[in-house]
């Protein structure tokens, strides 16, 4: 059905007949069994224009993925465009702006910023694409002082549903920019973006690790510390259970911990007060503080980069109460199918500097993110059941919706946005893609 497309591409077209099809069709999360019609490895923006125009003329659908972190069954039957070759990076440190291609990961941007005194907004790993992060909302180590990834999106070049490539910003198409800031890939195949850069003259990080038996006291102290922390300080806490893997060092293999990570882009002394509050709650087995270059930020909590099978759920809350701590410990305080339960302190109260459906200051103070690794397919269903049980147990404390950056593979945009926002997204979608050629990781319902 798509073989004619091969003749107008500079990059590769892969179909189920290709020898490397199994690898090409999958996303980073191997537990999601994506089954696209074909995969285009775009050599440049013109390949994307050709692909969208070809699909539109034949009633086919197109979806974009850079590294595949947005793996989803919603892409079944589509032509998936891989944008990894669009890897240009341009930095203007005076204007505090970076222009990057759709294939660029945050780790590459951060490396380009070493020595500039600036940072982008990388999340828990530098392996996430800048475009995917910003168009899905994007919570960073620096969300508290500088806002979300969506709010940092200044402008974008994209291929719309008619196959036309254009550059947009708030002056040329404010409605479409509003939709791109949190609406995902439903409105165009983004080929490059401009994003804000932010002051980071003295990035400092810290890690405290405690035996899991001290978790209740540590999380109580963490709750107090987050309320005392200045807005430039970010604190994330984890209940984590390391497997009995020979690849892990002896001091963590097969053991469980309560961990608190701290980060600030400047004023490193701001960490001292909050760290002392948490440190006094137990006996840390690890107590480190270090200066980081921008390139080190995305590797702070050692999120594994190679593709793997996992499932996750998220929830939100405004106060880390004793009852909530007890619930988190009941489901995540001992080794089980849930590998890690993470608490991120998000809210600083700052107004978003740009309008966007997912660009506003987080509606809740905290986010819980629970992750399970799925080593064999037979565990997929039990893992999902365990995660859903935790999500249901957390529902009494749920404080607000969040952008798609925190959605599970089985969620929809209805789990993010209310009726008025969804209605506006539908109107914009109808204008820029009236035939529904473009499919995001989470399609507009």
């Amino acid at each position: 059905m798509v073989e004619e497309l091969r003749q107008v591409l500079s990059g590769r077209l892969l179909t189920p007949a290709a020898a490397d099809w199994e690898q090409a069709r999958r996303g980073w999360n191997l537990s999601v069994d994506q089954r696209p019609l074909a995969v285009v490895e775009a050599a440049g923006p013109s390949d994307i224009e050709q692909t969208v125009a070809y699909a539109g003329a034949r009633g086919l659908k197109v979806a974009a993925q850079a590294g595949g972190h947005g793996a989803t069954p919603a892409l079944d039957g589509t032509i998936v465009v891989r944008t990894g070759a669009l890897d240009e990076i341009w930095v203007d440190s005076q204007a505090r702006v970076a222009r990057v291609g759709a294939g660029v990961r945050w780790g590459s941007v951060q490396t380009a910023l070493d020595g500039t005194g600036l940072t982008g907004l990388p999340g828990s790993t530098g392996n996430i694409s800048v475009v995917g992060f910003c168009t899905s909302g994007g919570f960073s180590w620096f969300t508290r002082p500088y806002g979300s990834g969506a709010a940092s999106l200044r402008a974008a070049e994209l291929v719309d549903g008619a196959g036309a490539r254009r550059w947009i910003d708030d002056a040329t198409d404010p409605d479409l920019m509003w939709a791109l800031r949190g609406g995902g890939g439903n409105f165009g195949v983004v080929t490059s973006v401009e994003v804000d850069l932010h002051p980071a003259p003295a990035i400092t990080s810290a890690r405290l690790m405690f035996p899991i038996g001290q978790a209740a006291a540590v999380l109580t102290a963490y709750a107090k510390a987050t309320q005392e922390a200045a807005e430039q300080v970010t604190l994330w806490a984890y209940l984590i259970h390391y497997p009995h893997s020979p690849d892990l060092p002896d001091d963590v293999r097969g053991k469980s911990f309560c961990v608190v990570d701290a980060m600030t882009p400047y004023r490193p002394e701001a960490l001292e007060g909050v760290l002392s509050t948490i440190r006094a709650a137990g006996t840390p087995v690890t107590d480190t503080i270090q200066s980081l270059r921008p390139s080190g930020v995305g590797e702070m909590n050692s999120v594994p980069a190679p593709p793997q099978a996992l499932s996750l759920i998220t929830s939100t809350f405004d106060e880390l109460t004793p009852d909530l701590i007890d619930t988190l410990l009941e489901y995540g305080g001992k080794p089980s199918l849930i590998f890690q339960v993470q608490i991120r302190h998000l809210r600083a109260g700052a107004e978003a500097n740009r309008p966007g459906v997912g660009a506003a200051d987080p509606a809740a103070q905290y986010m819980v993110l629970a992750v399970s690794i799925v080593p064999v397919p037979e565990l997929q269903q039990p893992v999902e059941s365990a995660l859903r049980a935790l999500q249901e147990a957390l529902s009494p404390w749920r404080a607000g919706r969040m952008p798609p950056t925190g959605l599970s593979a089985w969620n929809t945009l209805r789990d993010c946005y209310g009726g008025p926002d969804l209605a506006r997204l539908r109107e914009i979608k109808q204008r820029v893609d009236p035939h529904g050629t473009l499919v995001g990781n989470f399609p507009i319902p």
Side-chain angles (χ1 to χ4, degrees):
M1 180 182 290
V2 297
E3 284 300 324
E4 300 163 294
L5 180 58
R6 194 186 306 275
Q7 300 173 19
V8 297
L9 297 176
S10 298
R12 296 177 70 204
L13 172 71
L14 295 99
T15 68
D20 52 348
W21 173 249
E22 285 302 307
Q23 179 179 352
R25 72 179 178 87
R26 293 185 179 277
W28 181 87
N29 184 357
L30 300 180
S31 71
V32 179
D33 189 22
Q34 292 186 155
R35 294 190 174 275
L37 180 67
V39 172
V40 170
E41 294 179 349
S46 62
D47 278 354
I48 298 173
E49 292 176 277
Q50 294 283 359
T51 300
V52 174
Y54 178 92
R58 292 159 178 79
L60 303 175
K61 297 185 182 299
V62 175
Q65 283 188 342
H69 278 269
T72 166
L75 307 191
D76 290 1
T78 67
I79 301 174
V80 169
V81 176
R82 301 287 187 196
T83 59
L86 282 67
D87 58 359
E88 68 277 6
I89 300 176
W90 170 85
V91 172
D92 184 338
S93 57
Q94 294 299 314
R96 299 205 311 225
V97 60
R99 181 180 296 180
V100 302
V104 174
R105 318 291 180 93
W106 269 118
S108 298
V109 175
Q110 292 297 108
T111 298
L113 296 177
D114 282 349
T116 65
L118 300 170
T119 184
L121 298 178
S124 58
T125 171
N127 196 40
I128 301 290
S129 74
V130 176
V131 166
F133 183 85
C134 291
T135 58
S136 295
F139 292 142
S140 166
W141 281 108
F142 304 129
T143 286
R144 283 174 50 74
Y146 298 136
S148 69
S152 77
L153 187 59
R154 298 167 64 122
E157 182 187 70
L158 57 76
V159 176
D160 65 18
R165 179 160 45 123
R166 54 198 182 103
W167 184 258
I168 63 164
D169 56 22
D170 285 316
T172 60
D173 197 333
D175 280 342
L176 184 50
M177 285 303 302
W178 176 87
L180 285 179
R181 295 185 180 117
N186 290 294
F187 308 93
V189 178
V190 177
T191 58
S192 66
V193 292
E194 282 188 358
V195 294
D196 292 323
L197 303 176
H198 306 277
I203 301 174
T204 308
S205 70
R207 167 163 285 192
L208 300 174
M209 292 181 67
F210 299 84
I212 196 68
Q214 298 174 10
V218 171
L219 291 182
T220 300
Y222 168 83
K224 181 175 186 293
T226 55
Q227 296 307 301
E228 298 171 346
E231 70 174 19
Q232 69 265 26
V233 173
T234 296
L235 295 168
W236 292 357
Y238 319 80
L239 303 171
I240 185 168
H241 310 284
Y242 288 100
H244 290 273
S245 170
D247 297 330
L248 294 173
D250 292 341
D251 56 346
V252 300
R253 185 188 308 125
K255 298 178 182 178
S256 300
F257 300 92
C258 181
V259 181
V260 177
D261 284 340
M263 182 88 73
T264 183
Y266 57 98
R267 288 183 58 197
E269 65 272 17
L271 293 183
E272 288 305 319
V274 295
L275 290 178
S276 62
T277 296
I278 298 166
R279 200 178 276 125
T283 306
V285 295
T286 296
D287 187 343
T288 60
I289 186 166
Q290 62 180 332
S291 296
L292 291 179
R293 297 187 299 173
S295 58
V297 172
E299 309 310 318
M300 171 66 180
N301 64 355
S302 304
V303 173
Q308 60 183 300
L310 56 81
S311 288
L312 62 85
I313 57 96
T314 59
S315 190
T316 56
F317 60 97
D318 269 335
E319 184 180 1
L320 189 50
T321 64
D323 286 345
L324 177 51
I325 291 173
D326 288 345
T327 299
L328 292 172
L329 291 173
E330 177 185 352
Y331 285 85
K334 56 185 179 296
S336 68
L337 291 174
I338 299 176
F339 163 67
Q340 180 182 136
V341 175
Q342 183 181 122
I343 306 169
R344 298 187 184 186
H345 188 210
L346 302 175
R347 199 171 186 179
E351 293 297 323
N353 56 353
R354 291 190 180 87
V357 65
D361 190 49
Q365 289 247 18
Y366 305 87
M367 175 177 77
V368 173
L369 186 151
V371 180
S372 292
I373 296 174
V374 187
V376 293
E378 292 76 17
L379 283 178
Q380 184 66 47
Q381 190 57 51
V383 158
E384 287 191 11
S385 297
L387 290 170
R388 288 175 186 264
L390 171 57
Q391 193 169 46
E392 179 62 26
L394 295 174
S395 61
W397 295 278
R398 187 171 175 84
R401 301 186 181 201
M402 60 189 305
T405 190
L407 291 184
S408 308
W410 55 79
N411 288 131
T412 74
L413 286 186
R414 286 194 180 92
D415 298 296
C416 298
Y417 304 127
D421 283 341
L422 285 176
R424 186 178 177 187
L425 289 172
R426 289 190 194 102
E427 291 174 1
I428 298 168
K429 172 73 169 177
Q430 179 63 26
R431 173 170 66 86
V432 300
D433 183 25
H435 301 295
T437 302
L438 306 171
V439 180
N441 293 337
F442 296 98
I444 297 173

